[in-house]
């Protein structure tokens, strides 16, 4: 087999991780042809469907990702569902290497009594709803006056802010009309965020936290008795400028005179409270029971046995995302990631599956900000290049192998399109998505908004494929 043809690489998942991997791979010395597969009719993953609509600064990442896909050297194949429309054996026919970048989209489990009650929700599902994800229902039961959000990261802040914020203040964003209408009718007055550890251990970013204090007609309420700092806390503050900023913002809020807080809605921040039970009556959430925790000197906490009951009618669990297994791909059920070693996918014996790689959250778990996926992708691509060229540790292709890792039997780029067409798959390529993108922007123009997101999948496809 000659190595004169380009190396064919498939990347499954067109979120930031997949697009960064494609961009980095395209800039290597390899002669490479890259196809980027996406399950949805639109690319960009969590930046489109996982970032709160009132964070346009973060959504500007899409601009950079847009530039990569518009260059023309990476082909987008959207509306193609791995595991349904094709599997690994199919991909191996058309590609010499496959990189999985499918992310983590479901909620991590929270093992507390009452978690299955009506009114207990996973944050990931709620985020997908308010971001207009086409695979989730268009309705959401916002009926609670008092709500608890469990978690100490930015997703918890996003969920709490969207719940507390007045719907009219979201109108300048790309929020779908059905989401606006539902939020507009929400009776919520109080949103409580509960963190298991102390103020120095939360994972809020400083900017996200400061923005919380500028939400119109929403007061931030904190409790001095929740503020405790052990030696581990002081070490964290001294060693991290980000932790120092977070603690300063939280401490400043303790100095606010409660008499001046007259907003119609309140967002409460509670520290050193671990969820012990979600309380219910007649199958519905009526409260949350927390256990007071105590710092142990090193920043960790343990329960004290002191319990508190909070009257809430809904609980949102923002305790982290978790990856989903993929057909024919080794999966670590405990960590929620594809089994891999520095991006090389490995089998049960720890041996690298030739030509199979992973990057992003499905590789390392749902930690870090979106920008962290760049260095993650660089590591994976470095190993792929080593394996193809035979240079570096654990290379799969021996030096001097004229095939150069080119194992696909149907390497013509048209072959995979013919395969998908035979299976009745409506593939959305980049030019198709541009039509959808322009349509969404046109919907927003009359209202002074950047865009109005199209939600139903069939409507997205009709616009992209020029049927509507």
């Amino acid at each position: 087999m000659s190595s004169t043809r380009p190396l064919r690489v498939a990347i499954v998942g067109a979120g930031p991780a997949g697009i960064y991997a494609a961009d980095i791979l395209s800039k290597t010395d390899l002669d490479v042809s890259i196809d980027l597969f996406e399950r949805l009719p639109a690319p960009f993953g969590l930046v489109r469907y996982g970032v709160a609509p009132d964070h346009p600064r973060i959504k500007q990442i899409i601009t950079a990702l847009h530039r990569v896909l518009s260059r023309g050297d990476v082909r987008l194949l959207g509306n193609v569902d791995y595991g349904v429309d094709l599997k690994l054996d199919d991909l191996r026919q058309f590609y010499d290497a496959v990189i999985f970048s499918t992310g983590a989209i479901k909620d991590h489990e929270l093992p507390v009594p009452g978690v299955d009650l009506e009114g207990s929700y996973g944050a990931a599902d709620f985020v997908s709803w308010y971001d207009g994800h086409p695979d989730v229902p268009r309705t959401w039961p916002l009926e609670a006056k008092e709500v608890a959000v469990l978690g100490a990261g930015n997703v918890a802040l996003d969920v709490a802010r969207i719940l507390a914020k007045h719907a009219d203040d979201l109108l300048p964003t790309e929020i779908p009309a059905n989401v606006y209408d539902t939020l507009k009718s929400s009776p919520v007055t109080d949103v409580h965020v509960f963190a298991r550890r102390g103020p120095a251990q939360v994972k809020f970013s400083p900017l996200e936290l400061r923005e919380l204090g500028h939400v119109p007609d929403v007061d931030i309420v904190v409790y001095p008795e929740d503020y405790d700092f052990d030696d581990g806390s002081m070490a964290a503050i001294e060693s991290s400028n980000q932790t120092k900023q977070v603690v300063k913002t939280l401490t400043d809020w303790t100095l606010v005179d409660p008499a001046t807080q007259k907003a119609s809605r309140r967002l409460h921040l509670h520290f050193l409270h671990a969820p012990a039970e979600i309380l219910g009556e007649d199958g519905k959430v009526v409260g949350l029971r927390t256990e007071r925790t105590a710092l142990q000197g090193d920043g960790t906490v343990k329960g004290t046995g002191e319990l508190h009951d909070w009257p809430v009618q809904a609980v949102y669990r923002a305790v982290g995302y978790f990856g989903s297994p993929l057909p024919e791909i080794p999966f670590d059920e405990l960590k929620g990631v594809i089994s891999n070693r520095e991006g090389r996918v490995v089998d049960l014996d720890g041996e690298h599956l030739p030509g199979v790689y992973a990057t992003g959250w499905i590789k390392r778990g749902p930690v870090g900000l979106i920008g962290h996926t760049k260095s993650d992708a660089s590591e994976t691509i470095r190993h792929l290049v080593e394996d193809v060229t035979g240079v570096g540790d654990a290379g799969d292709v021996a030096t001097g192998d004229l095939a150069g890792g080119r194992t696909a039997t149907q390497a013509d780029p048209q072959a995979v399109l013919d395969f998908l067409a035979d299976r009745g798959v409506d593939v959305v390529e980049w030019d198709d998505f541009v039509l959808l993108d322009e349509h969404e922007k046109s919907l927003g123009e009359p209202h002074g908004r950047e865009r109005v997101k199209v939600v139903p999948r069939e409507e997205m496809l009709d616009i992209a494929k020029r049927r509507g």
Side-chain angles (χ1 to χ4, degrees):
M1 184 182 296
S2 171
S3 63
T4 56
R5 68 165 174 82
L7 187 79
R8 292 279 288 146
V9 178
I11 300 176
V12 180
I19 296 175
Y20 288 147
D23 185 40
I24 293 167
L25 179 59
S26 71
K27 294 174 181 176
T28 65
D29 291 335
L30 290 177
D31 181 16
V32 63
S33 169
I34 305 168
D35 283 349
L36 189 62
F37 287 87
E38 171 55 47
R39 185 175 62 85
L40 298 174
F44 309 131
L46 279 182
V47 185
R48 179 177 169 98
Y49 291 119
V51 177
D54 57 346
H55 274 322
R57 177 187 57 81
I58 297 177
K59 284 185 174 287
Q60 285 305 308
I61 295 171
I62 285 182
T63 301
L65 302 179
H66 195 287
R67 283 197 294 266
V68 174
L69 295 185
S70 65
R71 291 194 315 237
D73 57 341
V74 176
R75 185 170 66 168
L76 174 68
L77 301 180
N79 197 46
V80 181
D81 191 357
Y82 176 83
V84 176
D85 299 323
L86 42 62
K87 295 183 180 179
L88 183 60
D89 286 345
D90 301 317
L91 289 173
R92 287 190 185 279
Q93 297 179 58
F94 309 110
Y95 301 96
D96 308 304
V98 181
I99 303 171
F100 289 93
S101 58
T102 50
I105 60 173
K106 69 178 184 179
D107 289 286
H108 201 290
E109 292 184 356
L110 180 66
V112 298
V115 72
D116 295 324
L117 287 167
E118 182 181 339
S120 171
Y121 308 109
D125 292 335
F126 184 57
V127 171
S128 293
W129 172 75
Y130 68 58
D131 266 332
H133 195 295
D135 289 349
V136 301
R138 302 194 69 191
T139 59
W140 192 273
L142 290 181
E143 301 164 351
K145 292 184 65 176
E146 299 154 307
V147 179
V149 179
L150 309 179
N154 286 337
V155 174
L157 285 190
D158 281 350
V159 168
R161 190 182 63 257
I162 294 297
L163 286 167
K165 201 167 189 174
H166 290 278
D168 286 351
D169 293 323
L170 291 166
L171 275 177
T173 74
E174 62 183 39
I175 184 173
N178 64 296
V179 177
Y180 167 78
D181 291 340
T182 304
L183 290 171
K184 180 73 172 176
S185 62
S186 171
V188 69
T189 59
D190 293 85
V191 178
H192 298 262
V193 178
F194 293 92
R196 184 174 56 86
R197 296 198 289 173
Q201 287 79 41
V202 294
K203 300 302 182 182
F204 308 144
S205 67
L207 183 57
E208 285 256 353
L209 190 64
R210 286 196 298 271
E211 287 177 350
L212 203 64
H214 299 293
V215 179
D217 195 33
V218 176
D219 283 331
I220 305 300
V221 183
V222 295
Y223 300 85
E225 62 269 24
D226 288 351
Y227 282 69
D228 191 16
F229 301 92
D230 60 0
D231 290 343
S233 301
M234 300 312 298
I237 294 169
E238 292 170 4
S239 64
S240 168
N241 188 52
Q242 176 165 310
T243 301
K244 186 179 300 181
Q245 292 180 56
V246 166
V247 170
K248 181 184 184 305
T249 299
L250 293 171
T251 303
D252 287 346
W253 284 335
T254 67
L255 305 177
V256 175
D257 183 356
T260 65
Q261 295 184 312
K262 299 179 180 180
S264 66
R265 293 180 175 180
R266 291 160 294 280
L267 202 161
H268 308 254
L269 298 177
H270 306 271
F271 306 103
L272 300 172
H273 282 276
E277 182 179 357
I278 300 173
L279 306 175
E281 286 182 8
D282 300 324
K284 297 182 178 181
V285 171
V286 297
L288 174 71
R289 177 168 293 159
T290 63
E291 180 182 12
R292 170 67 77 179
T293 60
L295 290 162
Q296 296 301 291
D298 58 358
T300 63
V301 295
K302 73 172 184 179
T304 65
E306 179 185 338
L307 301 177
H308 298 261
D309 287 355
W310 310 85
V312 297
Q313 299 83 51
V315 174
Y316 289 78
R317 310 179 305 276
V319 294
Y321 287 90
F322 201 77
S324 301
L326 299 168
E328 303 177 352
I329 306 300
F331 190 73
D332 187 326
E333 297 284 353
L334 187 62
K335 297 179 180 178
V337 299
I338 289 175
S339 301
N340 74 94
R341 187 167 53 247
E342 295 185 345
R344 291 182 172 111
V345 175
V346 297
D347 61 21
L348 293 176
D349 296 322
E351 296 296 323
H352 179 206
L353 291 181
V356 185
Y357 304 86
T359 192
W361 279 4
I362 200 63
K363 165 189 172 183
R364 72 179 188 275
V367 293
L369 302 175
I370 291 172
H372 293 166
T373 58
K374 287 185 178 179
S375 58
D376 194 47
S378 294
E379 178 183 65
T380 295
I381 297 303
R382 185 180 75 250
H383 287 317
L384 185 153
V385 171
E386 289 173 353
D387 294 345
V388 169
T389 61
V391 178
D393 62 337
D396 287 332
V397 179
T399 302
D401 177 5
L402 296 180
R406 288 159 174 78
T407 56
T409 57
Q410 300 184 56
D412 186 334
Q414 183 61 37
V416 68
L417 293 180
D418 293 341
F419 174 87
L420 292 168
D422 288 344
R423 293 198 166 188
V425 180
D426 233 346
V427 177
V428 173
E429 297 190 57
W430 178 249
D431 288 345
D432 301 321
F433 170 72
V434 168
L435 288 177
L436 174 62
D437 191 46
E438 291 174 346
H439 180 77
E440 291 184 338
K441 290 177 179 177
S442 72
L443 294 177
E445 266 182 26
H447 309 288
R449 302 165 66 182
E450 182 180 351
R451 71 173 64 244
V452 173
K453 197 179 293 179
V454 175
V455 177
R457 179 187 285 263
E458 286 308 313
E459 185 179 343
M460 295 174 73
L461 287 173
D462 285 345
I463 295 165
K465 303 304 287 187
R466 304 169 176 82
R467 294 194 295 253

